[in-house]
Amino acid sequence: MAKGNFFSNLFASIFGGKDPAATKKRMLKNIAKDLSKSKFHFYKYSSHEVDPAFAKYFFEIYKAIAPAQAMFENTTPNSLKNIVLSASMTDEQKEMADSFTKEALLKEAQGQKLDDYVEHVYSRLSEFTNQFNDEKIIKIDLLYSKLMLFRNFIQYDFYFMLKKFDASLRERSFNAPPRFQPINGSYVLEDIRNFISIAWTLPLDWDWEDMFKLLKAIKGVEPVASGTWKKILNRIKTLREREPLEMMIQLISEDPQQKPSYNIEEYHIADDYFSAINKQVEETVEDIKKRQAASKVEGIASQIFGQGNMNSLKFYTPGESDIFERKNLGSYMYCEPLNYVKTFLLNYTKKEVRELSDIILVRGDWSNPQVSKPMSEAYHQLLEISEKITQLDEALSEHNNTGMKLKTLLPRSERDREARSIIQTTLKDINNAAATMILSTNQNLITYARNLKMVLEDFVKFPKSEVILNWRDLDRFAEGKLKNMCVDAYKKIYLLVQLLQNFPVQIEEE
């Protein structure tokens, strides 16, 4: 066994059997021999030069596709998508597609009842998408794939590569024959790799007629004659089968194991297109809902408060909340509804409602004092809530405890996890407090209004009233305006309750 190994190693040392460098050299020589025996005399291994025959071969392809290069200069994948999709639709389908743009949807929604309009839009969208079955979607994707693969191929920079063989060569100028010279293979190694990465992705058995028909309809002329394109594909087929370019890469890089890589990309524009339309419709519908909700809120607010100043909060405001939102810490979630509540309690409850309550609850002769208790408690609860809102708002000032804590921790929040957690917990507590006040206000207003409705109905029965027995005295004290005061208060409370229903307020659990 030892003798066998000795003679094997001796044989290998003489003939290079286990010497990697010798093995590599032998493999490269064999590759060079295979390339020289082929009809593609593109490369001389002895001199490491690429022959002018290589440049001439690619010059013929360049000459054939040059007009198409100019035609596709300003095209983008998106523009090609639009061309294919438009060509695949009827005029009616194009009109339907146009109706799903944001501008069209916003315009169409004006003056319409939201629920009915949303149902109509989604019904129309379903009708539109159902017109594109699997067969039609495959056809669209295939046509776009042809356009993209064709575009990628003709946009390969043949001129850049060929100019290395003839410095006097002018781009897309074919009046004079080129004078190609041999060049060192390293100059075009990357060009060959890039060509393979593009050309080898071309399906050689596809029917390209529909693509050329589409391009002719758009541009007026065919970018490449279909017969010429078939010849180019045949050339590529031959190159792929005989592998002269792969052999050149191995020889030039002096790596006999090297294999060029390429990725065949799949194009699915139809599904993406319908997904985009669905997303556009969904986002626009949400935008319409928000706009209508904002318009509704604005309309109700103007009925309650008029056009006066409604900014009753100093620190629990959107402006003060921005800094937390920018750092993804959270926000003051209920600025708008809390501001409406505070403004109502401050400008209306403490004035008109107080005046009305003094008349009915204090001066009223109730047949059963217990009946007045819910209304009285609701009124006093509203006054207390007004003070609590002021306290919450003032606490957020940088001169008070909560505001000072937030201001101190904020600069550390980006690098200190504990500081960030404390801020988030504090904001949660603040928002829960705000939510509690809003919900409590809403409930107390409903209680007050329900009892106000009861006494108003009792007032109308006078002199057969059963709840309050001295309506005549109360109305005289109110200078004959008591009924109007009750009605106005009821309307204002009803409007505020209706306004608050537009804001999703909830207390977050621990």
Side-chain angles (χ1 to χ4, degrees):
M1 192 69 184
K3 286 184 179 180
N5 286 338
F6 172 78
F7 285 109
S8 295
N9 290 334
L10 180 63
F11 185 87
S13 66
I14 296 172
F15 294 96
K18 285 192 176 181
D19 182 358
T23 301
K24 175 181 172 181
K25 187 175 181 180
R26 187 171 62 255
M27 290 176 69
L28 289 172
K29 283 185 176 180
N30 288 336
I31 293 170
K33 186 183 295 184
D34 290 340
L35 181 59
S36 66
K37 287 180 180 179
S38 74
K39 70 173 185 178
F40 301 100
H41 300 149
F42 289 165
Y43 185 72
K44 291 180 181 178
Y45 183 56
S46 58
S47 62
H48 304 292
E49 288 182 325
V50 180
D51 196 83
F54 173 88
K56 290 177 183 177
Y57 191 92
F58 281 88
F59 181 76
E60 292 303 315
I61 298 176
Y62 174 51
K63 186 176 180 180
I65 59 92
Q69 282 187 333
M71 186 182 291
F72 275 79
E73 271 183 345
N74 297 317
T75 63
T76 63
N78 275 338
S79 66
L80 293 179
K81 286 178 186 177
N82 293 332
I83 288 171
V84 171
L85 290 166
S86 179
S88 304
M89 294 184 199
T90 64
D91 290 340
E92 183 181 354
Q93 288 168 340
K94 290 175 187 176
E95 287 181 12
M96 290 184 74
D98 290 340
S99 74
F100 298 123
T101 63
K102 183 174 183 177
E103 295 74 14
L105 291 171
L106 290 174
K107 183 177 180 181
E108 188 181 40
Q110 292 177 3
Q112 294 203 42
K113 188 178 177 181
L114 181 60
D115 291 342
D116 292 343
Y117 176 68
V118 172
E119 183 179 353
H120 167 69
V121 168
Y122 280 114
S123 175
R124 198 170 71 233
L125 180 60
S126 178
E127 179 188 348
F128 175 68
T129 54
N130 287 339
Q131 293 179 25
F132 295 83
N133 56 27
D134 291 344
E135 183 181 351
K136 189 163 187 175
I137 287 174
I138 291 172
K139 189 176 179 180
I140 291 171
D141 290 342
L142 187 58
L143 181 55
Y144 179 71
S145 297
K146 291 175 186 177
L147 268 176
M148 285 299 295
L149 292 169
F150 179 74
R151 172 180 176 268
N152 292 344
F153 178 76
I154 66 168
Q155 286 189 331
Y156 174 77
D157 203 340
F158 289 93
Y159 172 71
F160 177 77
M161 179 177 70
L162 294 172
K163 194 173 175 63
K164 296 174 183 179
F165 294 88
D166 180 1
S168 65
L169 188 70
R170 297 176 61 188
E171 189 170 16
R172 296 179 198 148
S173 177
F174 307 102
N175 295 326
R179 292 174 292 181
F180 295 130
Q181 302 295 322
I183 63 171
N184 187 280
S186 61
Y187 294 162
V188 290
L189 179 59
E190 285 305 311
D191 298 297
I192 297 172
R193 286 174 176 152
N194 291 338
F195 179 80
I196 286 177
S197 70
I198 294 171
W200 277 206
T201 64
L202 287 170
L204 303 175
D205 56 348
W206 279 6
D207 181 359
W208 298 79
E209 289 302 320
D210 56 342
M211 183 200 73
F212 286 112
K213 184 178 178 181
L214 175 61
L215 290 175
K216 186 174 182 180
I218 298 167
K219 301 292 185 178
V221 293
E222 285 186 340
V224 178
S226 59
T228 303
W229 179 240
K230 287 178 182 178
K231 291 179 181 178
I232 292 173
L233 291 177
N234 285 332
R235 284 197 167 205
I236 293 171
K237 182 179 180 181
T238 303
L239 288 174
R240 288 181 63 174
E241 290 175 349
R242 304 291 179 85
E243 299 187 340
L245 301 185
E246 286 85 349
M247 288 188 279
M248 287 180 68
I249 290 172
Q250 291 167 341
L251 294 173
I252 294 169
S253 64
E254 296 189 348
D255 181 0
Q257 303 295 337
Q258 187 170 144
K259 293 288 184 181
S261 60
Y262 59 94
N263 296 315
I264 299 177
E265 186 175 354
E266 294 185 357
Y267 299 97
H268 300 286
I269 66 165
D271 286 341
D272 291 344
Y273 173 70
F274 292 120
S275 295
I277 287 184
N278 273 287
K279 184 180 179 182
Q280 177 70 69
V281 170
E282 288 172 3
E283 289 178 350
T284 306
V285 165
E286 286 303 310
D287 189 23
I288 291 169
K289 288 180 180 178
K290 289 178 182 178
R291 292 186 185 205
Q292 289 200 6
S295 178
K296 182 180 179 182
V297 166
E298 186 179 338
I300 297 173
S302 65
Q303 291 182 64
I304 301 171
F305 306 108
Q307 302 301 319
N309 181 23
M310 289 186 289
N311 296 322
S312 300
L313 301 176
K314 297 178 183 177
F315 305 104
Y316 192 84
T317 64
E320 295 292 329
S321 177
D322 280 348
I323 190 166
F324 303 115
E325 295 178 48
R326 287 198 300 269
K327 294 179 180 290
N328 292 318
L329 294 166
S331 67
Y332 294 150
M333 295 173 60
Y334 305 119
C335 297
E336 192 173 1
L338 189 66
N339 185 62
Y340 284 134
V341 166
K342 178 60 179 175
T343 304
F344 186 88
L345 296 177
L346 187 65
N347 296 346
Y348 197 75
T349 303
K350 288 190 174 183
K351 295 177 183 178
E352 284 85 347
V353 175
R354 170 174 281 178
E355 183 180 356
L356 180 62
S357 298
D358 285 345
I359 295 172
I360 293 176
L361 296 171
V362 178
R363 298 178 181 276
D365 182 10
W366 291 73
S367 58
N368 182 357
Q370 289 298 316
V371 177
S372 68
K373 191 174 180 180
M375 187 176 184
S376 177
E377 288 181 351
Y379 167 66
H380 286 97
Q381 283 290 324
L382 292 171
L383 295 180
E384 288 182 17
I385 292 170
S386 179
E387 296 305 317
K388 288 179 180 178
I389 294 175
T390 300
Q391 291 169 12
L392 174 68
D393 189 45
E394 292 293 340
L396 302 181
S397 164
E398 62 182 38
H399 302 296
N400 291 320
N401 291 341
T402 305
M404 187 180 298
K405 178 169 70 172
L406 290 172
K407 183 181 179 182
T408 302
L409 293 171
L410 198 59
R412 295 160 42 194
S413 63
E414 292 183 0
R415 63 182 185 278
D416 187 335
R417 185 178 297 179
E418 184 179 359
R420 188 177 187 86
S421 178
I422 293 172
I423 291 175
Q424 290 173 331
T425 302
T426 304
L427 290 175
K428 176 184 171 182
D429 293 342
I430 293 167
N431 287 323
N432 278 344
T436 300
M437 294 174 196
I438 295 167
L439 294 171
S440 182
T441 298
N442 190 63
Q443 186 56 52
N444 281 292
L445 285 173
I446 291 172
T447 300
Y448 188 92
R450 186 184 296 120
N451 284 272
L452 182 59
K453 183 175 182 289
M454 175 188 69
V455 298
L456 184 57
E457 290 171 348
D458 188 64
F459 176 79
V460 175
K461 293 178 183 178
F462 184 80
K464 297 182 180 181
S465 304
E466 299 174 354
V467 180
I468 296 177
L469 305 177
N470 62 334
W471 279 115
R472 180 176 290 158
D473 294 337
L474 297 180
D475 193 37
R476 189 183 300 115
F477 185 82
E479 298 178 351
K481 299 177 182 177
L482 185 55
K483 181 180 179 181
N484 289 338
M485 289 172 65
C486 291
V487 171
D488 288 345
Y490 184 83
K491 285 182 178 178
K492 287 285 179 71
I493 292 171
Y494 171 80
L495 285 170
L496 185 65
V497 170
Q498 191 179 33
L499 180 66
L500 294 178
Q501 288 176 352
N502 290 278
F503 300 96
V505 177
Q506 63 181 7
I507 298 171
E508 189 176 348
E509 298 294 334
E510 295 296 331

